[in-house]
Amino acid sequence: MDKKTKERANGIDVKDVEVRFANGYFGLKKTSLVIEPGSFCTLLGPSGSGKTTLLRTIAGLLTPSSGSIAIGAKDVTRLPVQARNIGFVFQNYALFPHMSVAQNIEYPLKLHKWPQADRQRRVKEILDLIELPHAADRAVGELSGGQQQRVAIGRALVYRPGLLLLDEPMGALDRRLRQQLGADLREIQQRTGITTVYVTHDQEEAFILSDKVAIMDGGEILQYDTPAELYFRPNSRFAARFLGEANLIDVLSLERGADGRTLVRTSLGSVSLSLPRSILKQDSSLSIVLRPEDMILLGSNTVDEAHAPPIRVHIEKELFLGSRCIVTVSEQSGATFLVECSQSQIPPSGVEVWLTWKVASTVLVDH
Ligand SMILES: Nc1ncnc2c1ncn2[C@@H]1O[C@H](COP(=O)(O)OP(=O)(O)OP(=O)(O)O)[C@@H](O)[C@H]1O
Ligand SMILES: [Mg+2]
């Protein structure tokens, strides 16, 4: 356990930060983000959504046009990149190919003029941390992509930075290596306790690695939450769709009942939900979001109150994936839905098929 780093773990407080480029384009619209000390935060979004812009602004490589950034208790908005004590890892490893693994890791310590004995001790600690102690004297050019990226992570950590920032560090690796390196990175992060900000456009990676994920689109953070909250409680259609399969049903109207519940009318029937008052004001375009695993197929239309009124559907397609099936069903108007279930839950051919869902899993989103 790297106690010194753990004690020094800093949080990050991005407050109302805007980044406007020379051509007038806002790479980042007014953005706020609080990252807990010692946590692993991922910026997730499609290409051009502003992930790198936000990361580079935290690093001090870009200057915000307005707003402030604090690392720990210190306002760093005007501090240059060298004064922020940050370790970086980028997509292209940026290692020195002619140097050995140990020399690459030692390099930042030489720059900071550490005495040789201290350098050697620290390099050995890092080699153990990245699990490459036997590769110390090998040229980095001889290592696999995943190993090279571990060296890059080790080099970023050697000077005991307060933060670790990584911009798509696994972009150049194949799927298997990505999974391996992802697991290694999370392990390293947890052992050192270093606050980490990670950029990716891979949802699965973001979910596996992160304590919290910021979903970005169009230079904005749309939602910032734990992976489970994002998946089960997306706050927008974009977030719902970006984080896996989602069935969307348009809401036609909302009607507050005397019991405090709200009758949500959709093109496919009505459900009674307990909703916060705030959502009632958002008249315009609400949708219900349901994950395929929230949908239930029935052989008859009888359900209890915990389930939405069943809709008559036809099975269009069954995809058998072993432990589960993905069934595509369509209803009268032609709208299709995805249902995830086990094969035994699919009604046998010849019987009527009805679709319902647990009312408790209904989520409403706007915009
Ligand atoms: N120096 C610049 N001048 C003008 N526009 C820029 C500049 N740098 C980035 N942009 C624009 O800002 C937006 C956000 O860019 P950014 O690099 O942050 O996206 P990203 O989410 O990291 O995308 P990717 O996944 O492709 O790396 C893009 O539309 C990009 O074209
Ligand atoms: Mg980028």
Side-chain angles (χ1 to χ4, degrees):
M1 181 81 57
D2 192 339
K3 277 204 180 121
K4 272 189 201 149
T5 311
K6 223 161 203 171
E7 283 157 18
R8 289 168 5 146
N10 284 320
I12 306 171
D13 192 354
V14 175
K15 214 176 270 169
D16 297 334
V17 165
E18 280 179 317
V19 175
R20 194 168 179 227
F21 292 115
N23 62 1
Y25 183 81
F26 279 91
L28 208 58
K29 294 172 192 160
K30 210 172 199 180
T31 295
S32 296
L33 178 70
V34 175
I35 301 174
E36 298 290 323
S39 68
F40 195 115
C41 167
T42 294
L43 310 179
L44 174 70
S47 187
S49 56
K51 306 179 297 292
T52 296
T53 303
L54 177 53
L55 197 78
R56 290 173 67 85
T57 310
I58 292 171
L61 293 164
L62 284 172
T63 310
S65 344
S66 63
S68 65
I69 297 179
I71 298 178
K74 193 168 171 185
D75 186 323
V76 298
T77 318
R78 306 278 154 234
L79 280 189
V81 55
Q82 321 80 271
R84 294 192 188 192
N85 188 25
I86 289 172
F88 291 103
V89 183
F90 297 106
Q91 182 170 346
N92 50 354
Y93 322 118
L95 295 169
F96 304 112
H98 56 283
M99 288 189 194
S100 71
V101 168
Q103 285 167 337
N104 264 280
I105 294 172
E106 188 186 15
Y107 186 78
L109 303 181
K110 274 195 166 163
L111 274 188
H112 286 94
K113 303 202 171 18
W114 277 34
Q116 193 186 10
D118 293 349
R119 291 202 310 259
Q120 275 176 352
R121 201 176 314 120
R122 182 63 181 154
V123 168
K124 186 173 175 321
E125 275 175 20
I126 290 289
L127 284 168
D128 288 341
L129 182 71
I130 61 172
E131 291 178 349
L132 284 176
H134 308 298
D137 298 322
R138 290 181 63 186
V140 290
E142 293 171 14
L143 302 181
S144 74
Q147 289 171 328
Q148 289 191 37
Q149 212 44 321
R150 279 185 3 227
V151 175
I153 292 167
R155 192 178 62 178
L157 291 174
V158 74
Y159 190 59
R160 299 187 191 284
L163 298 178
L164 179 61
L165 305 183
L166 305 101
D167 194 348
E168 308 239 18
M170 315 211 261
L173 306 179
D174 68 37
R175 189 163 181 80
R176 203 183 50 79
L177 268 182
R178 289 172 79 100
Q179 285 172 344
Q180 180 59 49
L181 186 66
D184 292 346
L185 173 62
R186 183 61 167 154
E187 161 100 23
I188 290 168
Q189 190 270 333
Q190 286 182 331
R191 278 171 64 191
T192 57
I194 190 166
T195 312
T196 300
V197 188
Y198 183 85
V199 166
T200 184
H201 54 255
D202 183 322
Q203 177 236 324
E204 199 178 292
E205 202 167 277
F207 275 22
I208 293 171
L209 294 175
S210 319
D211 295 307
K212 276 186 157 187
V213 178
I215 305 284
M216 298 193 68
D217 190 36
E220 286 182 289
I221 294 177
L222 299 185
Q223 193 170 2
Y224 176 51
D225 232 318
T226 61
E229 273 295 307
L230 287 172
Y231 186 76
F232 292 114
R233 302 271 154 205
N235 68 3
S236 62
R237 288 188 192 105
F238 178 86
R241 285 215 182 95
F242 196 70
L243 300 174
E245 297 291 353
N247 294 299
L248 296 176
I249 302 170
D250 290 340
V251 172
L252 302 178
S253 69
L254 298 177
E255 205 176 288
R256 189 93 171 169
D259 57 356
R261 293 177 72 83
T262 305
L263 191 67
V264 180
R265 280 188 219 284
T266 79
S267 47
L268 300 178
S270 305
V271 278
S272 168
L273 300 176
S274 176
L275 295 175
R277 253 175 202 290
S278 56
I279 209 150
L280 295 177
K281 293 183 198 112
Q282 299 163 358
D283 48 335
S284 58
S285 65
L286 293 167
S287 294
I288 285 178
V289 177
L290 294 159
R291 296 293 179 194
E293 60 272 29
D294 294 331
M295 307 301 250
I296 303 164
L297 292 178
L298 303 170
S300 76
N301 67 348
T302 43
V303 288
D304 58 18
E305 290 213 324
H307 292 85
I311 309 155
R312 180 88 158 85
V313 291
H314 287 282
I315 293 179
E316 299 284 341
K317 205 163 71 182
E318 289 176 29
L319 202 61
F320 178 65
L321 300 171
S323 61
R324 63 206 172 91
C325 294
I326 304 290
V327 184
T328 309
V329 299
S330 64
E331 59 90 40
Q332 219 177 10
S333 71
T336 61
F337 302 93
L338 292 178
V339 184
E340 184 181 322
C341 58
S342 67
Q343 196 166 40
S344 62
Q345 290 166 322
I346 304 174
S349 58
V351 307
E352 289 187 349
V353 184
W354 300 80
L355 177 70
T356 183
W357 66 87
K358 275 202 193 105
V359 172
S361 39
T362 313
V363 174
L364 250 76
V365 296
D366 60 355
H367 58 266

